[in-house]
């Protein structure tokens, strides 16, 4: 009641809050964009694969098709005679999606008392988890490729790779890169924007960047857009750094860690998800659980995604296994 005239105080029906129905979609859009932007920065291993989404309600499996090249037509034509036509031959590779996800539960007291913008921070945390998870899924599939090179041909197995000293080791070297490039060239592996691509661990980058022929990205700007986490180029390979590049811990001689550097050509592998289901941000506000949360004490922030990857042309990808300088 108004104390002066005894009438009811006017209520403004148009006050907007972050929980107002009219703004809920906008808030969700903001946090969705935040999640996707942060997560995609982690997806180093997804950058260079064919992207093929399965349409909604299109099942969980996708079939990639690869057509074999036609043989060379070296027989001369006979004047006036139509030759036989050419038969096409295709191979198929099938990949099946799996679903992944995680969430953070936030109590009402945390949301009331936390000094930070807790929903924003929770979104950052799950975005990082989502990106790292999806990147690791692709990495593990690629690291199981059948074409492997042990250092610069110095040994013939992973457990024989060694690091004895700075001058006696199986570290990643320009010779190892050249051998991998030679293999890809002999397979007629197509390049990606004019060069092959390497995904390298920071420990191996340390050894590779000491080569005098190493070029920083600004030295070959004619190649166009710089890849996410791109660090430089050597012998026709543009290198992208990832701290999550595959490491076989203690798998070398005398317990040496073994690092896998992937040298890729175009169309070596594919990455797929379900249309509109690749990465979803899920926010459950306080009280959304109904009778399961009778006192409105719990909310949550989560993510889920359906994803898989598949090697399409094994000979278009070389896994170079080496040691690295401690």
């Amino acid at each position: 009641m108004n104390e002066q005239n005894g009438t009811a105080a006017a209520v403004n029906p148009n006050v907007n809050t972050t929980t107002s129905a009219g703004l809920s979609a906008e808030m969700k859009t903001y946090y969705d964009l935040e999640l996707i932007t942060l997560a995609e920065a982690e997806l180093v291993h997804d950058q260079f694969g064919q992207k093929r989404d399965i349409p909604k309600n299109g099942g969980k499996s996708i079939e990639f098709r690869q057509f074999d090249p036609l043989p060379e037509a070296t027989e001369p034509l006979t004047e006036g005679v139509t030759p036989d036509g050419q038969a096409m031959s295709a191979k198929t590779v099938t990949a099946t999606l799996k679903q992944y996800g995680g969430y953070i539960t936030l109590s009402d007291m945390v949301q009331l008392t936390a000094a930070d913008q807790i929903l924003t921070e929770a979104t950052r945390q799950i975005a990082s988890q989502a990106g790292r998870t999806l990147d690791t899924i692709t990495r593990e599939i690629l690291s199981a490729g059948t074409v492997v090179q042990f250092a610069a041909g110095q040994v013939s197995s992973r457990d024989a790779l060694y690091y004895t000293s700075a001058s006696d080791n199986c570290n990643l070297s320009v010779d190892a890169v050249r051998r991998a490039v030679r293999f890809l060239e002999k397979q007629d592996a197509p390049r990606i924007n004019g060069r092959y691509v390497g995904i390298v661990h920071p420990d191996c980058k340390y050894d590779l960047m000491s080569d005098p022929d190493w070029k920083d990205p600004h030295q070959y700007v004619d190649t166009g857009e710089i890849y996410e986490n791109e660090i430089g180029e050597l012998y026709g390979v543009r290198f992208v750094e990832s701290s999550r590049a595959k490491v076989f811990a203690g798998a070398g001689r005398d317990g040496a860690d073994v690092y896998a550097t992937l040298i890729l050509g175009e169309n070596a592998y594919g990455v797929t998800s379900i249309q509109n289901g690749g990465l979803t941000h899920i926010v459950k506000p306080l009280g959304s659980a109904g009778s399961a949360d009778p006192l409105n004490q719990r909310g949550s922030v989560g993510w889920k995604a359906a994803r898989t990857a598949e090697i399409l042309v094994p000979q278009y990808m070389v896994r170079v296994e080496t040691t690295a300088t401690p």
Side-chain angles (χ1 to χ4, degrees):
M1 299 289 291
N2 186 298
E3 292 183 357
Q4 292 183 336
N5 56 26
T7 60
V11 177
N12 181 355
N14 297 316
V15 173
N16 291 294
T17 68
T18 58
T19 57
S20 300
L23 284 183
S24 60
E26 182 63 26
M27 295 301 291
K28 184 176 185 297
T29 298
Y30 165 72
Y31 286 116
D32 278 351
L33 292 174
E34 182 85 357
L35 177 111
I36 291 170
T37 300
L38 291 170
E40 285 184 343
E42 306 276 5
L43 300 176
V44 172
H45 288 85
D46 277 13
Q47 280 193 82
F48 310 105
Q50 287 188 22
K51 306 297 191 302
R52 295 288 186 271
D53 282 353
I54 298 175
K56 187 177 180 180
N57 302 321
K60 294 196 301 182
S61 297
I62 186 170
E63 185 178 84
F64 294 92
R65 287 179 294 279
Q66 173 197 353
F67 287 90
D68 294 330
L70 294 172
E72 297 173 2
T74 56
E75 280 294 320
L77 297 175
T78 301
E79 185 176 349
V81 178
T82 302
D84 292 337
Q86 304 292 302
M88 295 177 65
S89 175
K91 299 176 182 175
T92 60
V93 178
T94 302
T96 301
L97 289 165
K98 295 182 180 178
Q99 196 171 51
Y100 305 88
Y103 67 94
I104 296 171
T105 300
L106 302 170
S107 74
D108 55 342
M109 289 301 291
V110 167
Q111 296 187 53
L112 283 171
T113 61
D116 298 316
Q117 293 182 323
I118 197 66
L119 186 57
T120 299
E121 291 305 315
T123 296
R124 290 182 181 277
Q125 290 293 320
I126 65 167
S128 174
Q129 181 192 51
R132 287 182 285 109
T133 298
L134 299 178
D135 188 61
T136 298
I137 290 164
T138 302
R139 180 199 71 189
E140 291 301 297
I141 291 170
L142 299 186
S143 297
T146 56
V147 180
V148 58
Q149 169 188 309
F150 299 105
Q154 295 152 264
V155 297
S156 58
S157 64
R158 180 180 300 162
D159 59 6
L161 291 165
Y162 62 90
Y163 182 92
T164 303
S165 66
S167 58
D168 184 23
N169 56 61
C170 292
N171 289 359
L172 185 62
S173 64
V174 67
D175 191 36
V177 174
R178 291 170 60 193
R179 285 169 178 262
V181 168
R182 180 179 66 179
F183 176 86
L184 294 175
E185 289 174 338
K186 289 170 67 175
Q187 303 301 315
D188 295 321
R191 290 169 170 82
I192 303 171
N193 296 325
R195 288 176 171 85
Y196 295 121
V197 171
I199 300 177
V200 65
H201 192 278
D203 288 344
C204 293
K205 174 196 74 173
Y206 173 85
D207 295 316
L208 205 57
M209 290 180 70
S210 62
D211 190 276
D213 291 330
W214 177 268
K215 295 179 182 177
D216 293 325
H218 72 272
Q219 295 177 274
Y220 52 93
V221 291
D222 60 299
T223 57
E225 185 179 354
I226 300 299
Y227 299 133
E228 191 76 42
N229 290 357
E230 184 169 358
I231 56 171
E233 185 260 355
L234 183 66
Y235 203 74
V237 177
R238 294 172 65 174
F239 284 93
V240 171
E241 178 184 10
S242 175
S243 61
R244 288 182 301 280
K246 183 67 175 178
V247 179
F248 301 96
R253 196 177 81 188
D254 299 326
D257 289 339
V258 174
Y259 298 80
T261 300
L262 298 173
I263 311 293
L264 308 164
E266 193 170 30
N267 298 323
Y269 67 102
V271 179
T272 189
S273 62
I274 295 177
Q275 191 174 20
N276 300 324
L279 179 57
T280 304
H281 186 210
I282 303 164
V283 179
K284 300 289 186 181
L286 298 173
S288 60
S291 60
D293 184 19
L295 298 181
N296 292 356
Q297 293 175 293
R298 296 184 302 278
S300 64
V301 183
W303 68 275
K304 67 178 179 180
R307 178 64 64 89
T308 193
E310 190 70 30
I311 296 174
L312 302 179
V313 189
Q315 64 270 28
Y316 286 2
M317 178 174 60
V318 181
R319 185 176 74 254
V320 183
E321 297 192 6
T322 65
T323 53
T325 299

